[in-house]
Amino acid sequence: MNAEKQSAGGLIAASPFGKEAREAVYRAIHTRRDVRDQFLPDALDDELVRRLLEAAHAAPSVGFMQPWSFILVRDPATRQRAWEAFSKANEEAAALFNDEKRMLYQSLKLEGIRKAPLSIVVTCDPDRAGPVVLGRTHNPKMDVYSTVCAVQNLWLAARAEGVGVGWVSIFHDRDVRSLLGIPERVEIVAWLCLGYVNELYAEPELAQKGWRQRLDLDDLICDERWVDKPICSAERRGG
Ligand SMILES: Cc1cc2c(cc1C)N(C[C@H](O)[C@H](O)[C@H](O)COP(=O)(O)O)c1[nH]c(=O)[nH]c(=O)c1N2
């Protein structure tokens, strides 16, 4: 995969990408969307899926532990059962909002489990590199953070390939665990729905449908020390 010319010391040039390649990277980042409903039924090409998994597997990881595994779920019966687990959890989630917010919540489509031809369930094995992992000693969550990096790599590569990805997290962990035979010690990080798409929302669908807007980046930047910006304290209070 890495076609860059290496020096004798195993280094490659770190010069910036050309304008077009650089723009392509930012384009993938800014036009990546969470997809729920735009999936086409066509099966994904095996080599393409392999490229997406290679992109995921190229992610950074704490101590280079590479804690991820990828469960490829194509069977419609399994996806149907996953959707049932989602539905149950989604009803519980809806009940937590006040009347007005619940109406909007229930109008949102929050998964594409049955429509997307492929699901990839990404897991994190905390034991992948033995009990003591370089860089994880003082924060055990680092292995999960690493796995999320793999998800993001896959998501961006998928955007470049014209493949939609939707992350579904509205599940009881135990339901997915028993459906796919995932042992207790392995963490379930993401249920991803994948399929070809012809169109994507220009902006996050949740913003377009009035659920929540993108925050102003300048409200999220602090200089040198933590500052509790008004936007953050208001949000904490539910404002
Ligand atoms: C960890 C995690 C978990 C979820 C999500 C994302 C992430 C990062 N998202 C997608 C999320 O709603 C979406 O990313 C934001 O709304 C921003 O939109 P774009 O991703 O830019 O389209 C998501 N979407 C959804 O419809 N159902 C879900 O269960 C989840 N779960």
Side-chain angles (χ1 to χ4, degrees), residues 32-34 36 110 167-170 204 206:
R32 179 212 52 78
R33 287 277 81 82
D34 187 67
R36 292 104 177 172
L110 296 174
W167 186 327
V168 188
S169 54
I170 305 167
L206 293 190

Side-chain angles (χ1 to χ4, degrees), residues 43-145:
L44 291 173
D45 179 73
D46 285 345
E47 284 178 19
L48 189 164
V49 173
R50 182 79 195 179
R51 287 196 296 278
L52 299 183
L53 294 173
E54 277 166 1
H57 189 46
S61 61
V62 68
F64 201 30
M65 76 179 286
Q66 307 155 75
W68 43 73
S69 295
F70 307 100
I71 308 174
L72 308 191
V73 182
R74 295 190 179 87
D75 182 8
T78 309
R79 289 190 284 114
Q80 172 66 28
R81 285 175 62 198
W83 179 81
E84 287 161 13
F86 158 83
S87 286
K88 183 178 66 176
N90 199 38
E91 276 177 31
E92 294 164 3
L96 298 176
F97 297 108
N98 65 32
D99 287 353
E100 193 189 334
K101 205 100 204 240
R102 187 177 324 119
M103 294 259 283
L104 179 55
Y105 181 85
Q106 287 170 331
S107 73
L108 298 170
K109 173 118 173 86
L110 296 174
E111 55 74 41
I113 302 165
R114 293 178 300 178
K115 200 166 180 191
L118 172 68
S119 286
I120 300 183
V121 178
V122 186
T123 59
C124 171
D125 184 347
D127 304 327
R128 179 69 50 85
V132 184
V133 176
L134 184 161
R136 191 185 60 174
T137 306
H138 301 92
N139 187 340
K141 292 186 199 153
M142 289 297 164
D143 47 21
V144 171
Y145 298 166

